[in-house]
């Protein structure tokens, strides 16, 4: 039986390299209990295949792998080491995950699930404000896994790797992420005309990916530079939204999305 998940939106402030504290321990804006029904049907079917004991074992393998990726590096970690650290036989570990890439893809699925859970909790506000709130909340949730994500950067940006963010294996994750951004845009007070909503959603998804990459490289105190960048993006989006009424601005956005959209999964609703 799957457990309910407690989800909260965090207060302002970009997380740094903190470890050992669950992100929800520092949250304060909103709280909701999300039941199993919030999961994708495929995820529910997958987890229902396992007994409660098997689910615990599976999660232990995931947690162990992510920790080893962070401490040893992705390329240096082997499935045999993951199995040993998780106190599992190598055969049992392979029964749950056929390769290291599958454990990376599990992280991507977990991250997009956080996105899907956070977007419905956003306040009724402008697109700029909703995106700003979402990025604070998402980076807070990601903070405990920051070292893992840094270790995965090479594989994640390799288009030939199964663990690549933009690879074939990640297509479903990208589709779900874009769907969440469509929800963010359609629920905003300054929602654009219908023909521009998908373009705006794709733009926001691209900005999120770029912002996360910047955050992973940010060594400033308390990731101050990420906070400054996020504030700059907020101001930029505030200025961009009214300009979409100008035909040539809207056409530029549509052209940009036409170029980068396929990489992000645009058009695969």
């Amino acid at each position: 039986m799957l457990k309910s998940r407690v989800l909260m939106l965090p207060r302002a402030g970009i997380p740094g390299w903190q470890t050992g504290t669950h992100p929800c321990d520092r949250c304060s804006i909103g709280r909701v209990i999300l039941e199993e029904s919030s999961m994708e049907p495929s995820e529910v079917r997958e987890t229902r295949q396992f007994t409660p004991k098997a689910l615990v074992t599976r999660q232990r393998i995931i947690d162990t792998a992510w920790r080893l990726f962070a401490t040893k590096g992705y390329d240096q970690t082997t499935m045999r080491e993951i199995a040993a650290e998780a106190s599992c036989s190598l055969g049992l570990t392979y029964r749950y995950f056929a390769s290291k890439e599958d454990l990376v893809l599990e992280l991507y699925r977990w991250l997009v699930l956080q996105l899907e859970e956070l977007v419905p909790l956003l306040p009724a506000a402008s697109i700029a404000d909703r995106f700003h709130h979402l990025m604070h909340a998402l980076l807070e949730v990601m903070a405990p896994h920051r070292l893992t994500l840094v270790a995965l950067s090479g594989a994640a940006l390799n288009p030939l790797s199964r663990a690549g963010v933009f690879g074939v294996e990640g297509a479903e994750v990208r589709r779900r992420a874009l769907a969440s951004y469509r929800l963010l845009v359609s629920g905003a007070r300054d929602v654009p005309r219908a023909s521009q909503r998908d373009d705006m959603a794709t733009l926001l998804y691209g900005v999120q990916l770029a912002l996360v990459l910047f955050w992973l490289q940010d060594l400033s105190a308390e990731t101050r530079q990420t906070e400054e960048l996020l504030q700059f993006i907020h101001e930029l989006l505030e200025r961009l939204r009214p300009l979409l009424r100008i035909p040539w601005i809207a056409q530029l956005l549509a052209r940009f999305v036409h170029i980068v959209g396929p990489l992000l999964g645009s058009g695969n609703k």
Side-chain angles (χ1 to χ4, degrees), residues 94-105:
Y94 274 117
R95 184 182 304 174
Y96 290 107
F97 300 100
S99 67
K100 288 193 302 182
E101 289 81 5
D102 289 320
L103 286 156
V104 176
L105 294 170

Side-chain angles (χ1 to χ4, degrees), residues 191-202:
V191 56
R193 65 185 64 177
S195 61
Q196 297 173 341
R197 293 176 193 176
D198 278 2
D199 289 347
M200 180 60 72
T202 303

